Amino acid sequence: MTVRQDIHNSDIPVLCQACEARHHGVCGALDPNKLVALAKTSSRRQVDAGTELIGDAEAIHSYANVLSGVVKLTKTLSDGRQQIVGLQFAPDFFGRPFRAESAINAEAATRVSLCSFPKAALERIMKESPGLQGRLLGQTLKDLDAAREWMVTLGRKTAAEKIASFLLLIARNIDRVSDPNMRTAAFDLPLTRNDIADFLGLTIETVSRQLTKLRADGVIRIENNRHVVVVDISRLEARAGS
Amino acid sequence: MTVRQDIHNSDIPVLCQACEARHHGVCGALDPNKLVALAKTSSRRQVDAGTELIGDAEAIHSYANVLSGVVKLTKTLSDGRQQIVGLQFAPDFFGRPFRAESAINAEAATRVSLCSFPKAALERIMKESPGLQGRLLGQTLKDLDAAREWMVTLGRKTAAEKIASFLLLIARNIDRVSDPNMRTAAFDLPLTRNDIADFLGLTIETVSRQLTKLRADGVIRIENNRHVVVVDISRLEARAGS
DNA sequence: TCAATTTCTTGATTTCGATCAATCCGCGGT
DNA sequence: ACCGCGGATTGATCGAAATCAAGAAATTGA
């Protein structure tokens, strides 16, 4: 153990001071000492949309916090059919503690900025900070809840309901609509129509048609193919099935 | 800390000695002292198929190891559409560490025997045994992998592939077919046709038709509606998509 | 600025699985 | 044994989404 010393706010690594993950993400469990230790080995980087972050069945050497942008996790069948099995928004943690058994593929869906650190560094600090393990468990449980919620959407909802559910998911994560009396939302879609289809288990044509229908019915407006304005959130919710 | 004392095998609670969870489940992380402490508060019980174990949005007061049988986790839309979002086989741990946010419903799919302990007892021991937290994280990651694997099945596979995938899942968990050169498998279906439909995002009629087709093609045999003999596992795998 | 290419939309047709509708089978009870 | 009932199978028809097929719109690059 190092000798306990005075920790001023200025001792918090510059890198971390303005970081959202510092408070809400996994780093929130670390005291300044540990944070300094981790920050020494960590590095920020920006990657363009389409960059592969973890290849299928690849060994994983690092973990990362998503600081901005959206990362998509995909699985692919041998004949090319693809399914997005998770989306990570800031300030989600992502990477696989221990084993990399399930063949998963992580790719930047938008331009993404990451704060990544080597697997070994995190695991060492984890042994000393039980709180960190708890945060990791918390993130994993959150991912599990999201996955199960989506299983209902995939298995039991109609195409129209799937699209509405998807738009709500994005609105809640990008535009942070948690306030229930917020009537409207606006955001850029982080996914292409193809990605949306792969997320919803639909074809690109069906996605397009359902978006057109929502637009025709005045529930949303679409500008430049990417920017979506939800005119009335409760009307969208009514179409999402629940 | 208690003084370290000699621990004989006989000090392991009788309840735990023959328990599978003792080695492979969460209890494997506990030393005999901790095991005794936990065993004091735990109790075995058997429940019939159909028994509700955790109600939708109900507060959770206990955790459990599944010792035998199958527990199904379901989510239901307001209009009654249902989706099974997870199956827990022995010796899975089940229950929700912390928060019970996601509205999930757990029900015994078959006759089930459980070893359950109060939430508080487990959480207290968890603070002292970092290994236990790790096991819990491991179980959660395993559940997450399973959920994501199933998302591919729900979103991208045909009805025929879904049924084949389901039978393989059961064969691997009930008959423990992990040995890749095992050519055949046999088991009782732990789910009714209705449950299978809810697990696969299909209707009961489609499930029935696909099972009939597999039978007609000589891939499986069905006896008494419940007992399934997989004649050739590799032929079943070929139909599961991958 | 203007091809060139990719991404998205829209339309026509087909198909797979849902729905509707009878049976059929297995099982427990009297 | 017989009935009665819930669960399962089978058949006929329908419909939602997939597939096939052009185009239109946006983005890229020279």
Side-chain angles (χ1 to χ4, degrees):
Chain A
M1 251 333 224
T2 59
V3 177
R4 186 75 171 80
Q5 56 195 95
D6 259 22
I7 300 289
H8 303 92
N9 194 54
S10 57
D11 292 327
I12 294 174
V14 184
L15 207 61
C16 305
Q17 280 189 41
C19 179
E20 227 184 327
R22 166 98 190 73
H23 303 291
H24 304 289
V26 284
C27 299
L30 299 174
D31 61 47
N33 277 320
K34 301 274 169 52
L35 201 60
V36 168
L38 187 59
K40 270 201 193 103
T41 69
S42 75
S43 64
R44 281 202 181 190
R45 61 189 175 121
Q46 291 244 341
V47 300
D48 279 328
T51 308
E52 185 175 80
L53 301 172
I54 300 176
D56 215 347
E58 217 170 72
I60 298 169
H61 298 297
S62 66
Y63 296 132
N65 279 312
V66 179
L67 303 181
S68 73
V70 177
V71 174
K72 60 179 185 184
L73 309 177
T74 65
K75 281 168 97 56
T76 307
L77 297 177
S78 54
D79 62 1
R81 281 175 289 177
Q82 206 172 33
Q83 176 69 47
I84 293 183
V85 297
L87 292 176
Q88 310 280 184
F89 301 91
D92 285 350
F93 175 82
F94 108 92
R96 210 90 247 271
F98 324 113
R99 153 201 53 174
E101 108 158 12
S102 112
I104 215 165
N105 194 291
E107 186 182 323
T110 62
R111 182 162 186 77
V112 165
S113 75
L114 296 168
C115 180
S116 60
F117 19 80
K119 193 168 138 74
L122 188 83
E123 283 173 1
R124 179 163 26 78
I125 291 174
M126 200 156 68
K127 284 205 188 92
E128 296 157 18
S129 302
L132 184 57
Q133 244 189 70
R135 292 275 180 140
L136 232 46
L137 180 56
Q139 172 73 47
T140 308
L141 283 166
K142 190 181 138 193
D143 289 346
L144 181 59
D145 278 353
R148 287 177 169 166
E149 188 67 40
W150 215 249
M151 287 174 75
V152 181
T153 302
L154 286 173
R156 288 302 185 199
K157 290 190 185 176
T158 65
E161 290 170 332
K162 284 179 177 180
I163 291 288
S165 302
F166 168 72
L167 291 176
L168 282 172
L169 178 77
I170 299 302
R172 291 185 179 127
N173 282 283
I174 306 272
D175 200 25
R176 301 302 160 88
V177 193
S178 45
D179 187 354
N181 47 4
M182 193 161 293
R183 299 260 63 85
T184 180
F187 49 84
D188 280 329
L189 285 174
L191 302 183
T192 65
R193 302 294 190 270
N194 227 308
D195 285 340
I196 298 173
D198 283 348
F199 190 41
L200 297 173
L202 297 172
T203 60
I204 170 174
E205 293 96 329
T206 301
V207 169
S208 181
R209 275 185 250 275
Q210 294 299 336
L211 283 173
T212 300
K213 181 133 88 166
L214 282 177
R215 200 167 20 134
D217 294 354
V219 180
I220 60 172
R221 274 184 292 125
I222 302 181
E223 288 152 16
N224 296 328
N225 271 343
R226 272 297 180 106
H227 191 73
V228 173
V229 178
V230 181
V231 177
D232 185 349
I233 293 177
S234 54
R235 281 226 283 156
L236 191 59
E237 283 168 342
R239 286 166 181 250
S242 55
Chain B
M1 253 332 223
T2 59
V3 177
R4 187 74 173 79
Q5 55 195 94
D6 259 23
I7 299 289
H8 301 92
N9 195 53
S10 57
D11 292 326
I12 293 175
V14 184
L15 207 61
C16 305
Q17 279 189 42
C19 179
E20 226 185 327
R22 165 97 190 76
H23 303 290
H24 302 290
V26 285
C27 299
L30 300 173
D31 62 48
N33 277 319
K34 301 275 168 53
L35 201 59
V36 168
L38 187 58
K40 268 199 194 104
T41 69
S42 76
S43 63
R44 282 201 181 191
R45 60 188 175 122
Q46 291 243 343
V47 300
D48 280 327
T51 307
E52 185 175 79
L53 300 173
I54 300 177
D56 214 347
E58 217 171 73
I60 298 167
H61 297 298
S62 66
Y63 296 132
N65 279 313
V66 179
L67 303 181
S68 72
V70 177
V71 173
K72 60 179 186 186
L73 309 177
T74 65
K75 280 166 100 49
T76 307
L77 297 177
S78 53
D79 63 0
R81 280 174 290 176
Q82 207 172 34
Q83 176 68 46
I84 293 183
V85 297
L87 292 177
Q88 310 280 183
F89 301 90
D92 285 350
F93 174 81
F94 108 92
R96 210 87 245 273
F98 323 112
R99 153 203 49 179
E101 108 157 14
S102 112
I104 215 165
N105 195 290
E107 186 182 322
T110 61
R111 182 162 184 76
V112 165
S113 75
L114 296 167
C115 180
S116 60
F117 19 79
K119 193 168 137 73
L122 188 82
E123 284 175 358
R124 180 163 26 78
I125 290 173
M126 200 157 70
K127 285 206 187 90
E128 297 157 15
S129 303
L132 183 58
Q133 245 190 68
R135 292 275 180 139
L136 230 48
L137 180 55
Q139 172 73 46
T140 308
L141 283 168
K142 189 180 140 193
D143 289 347
L144 181 58
D145 278 351
R148 287 178 169 167
E149 189 66 41
W150 215 247
M151 286 174 76
V152 181
T153 302
L154 287 173
R156 289 302 186 200
K157 291 192 184 174
T158 64
E161 290 170 333
K162 284 179 176 181
I163 291 288
S165 302
F166 167 73
L167 291 175
L168 282 173
L169 178 77
I170 300 301
R172 291 186 178 130
N173 283 283
I174 306 272
D175 200 24
R176 300 301 159 90
V177 193
S178 45
D179 187 355
N181 46 3
M182 192 162 294
R183 298 258 64 86
T184 180
F187 49 84
D188 280 329
L189 285 174
L191 302 183
T192 64
R193 302 293 190 269
N194 227 305
D195 284 340
I196 298 173
D198 283 347
F199 190 42
L200 297 173
L202 298 171
T203 59
I204 169 177
E205 293 95 330
T206 301
V207 169
S208 182
R209 275 185 249 272
Q210 294 299 335
L211 284 174
T212 301
K213 179 129 87 157
L214 282 177
R215 197 165 22 131
D217 294 354
V219 180
I220 60 172
R221 274 184 291 125
I222 302 181
E223 288 152 16
N224 299 326
N225 270 342
R226 272 299 181 107
H227 191 72
V228 172
V229 178
V230 181
V231 177
D232 184 350
I233 292 178
S234 55
R235 281 225 285 154
L236 191 58
E237 283 168 342
R239 286 167 181 250
S242 55

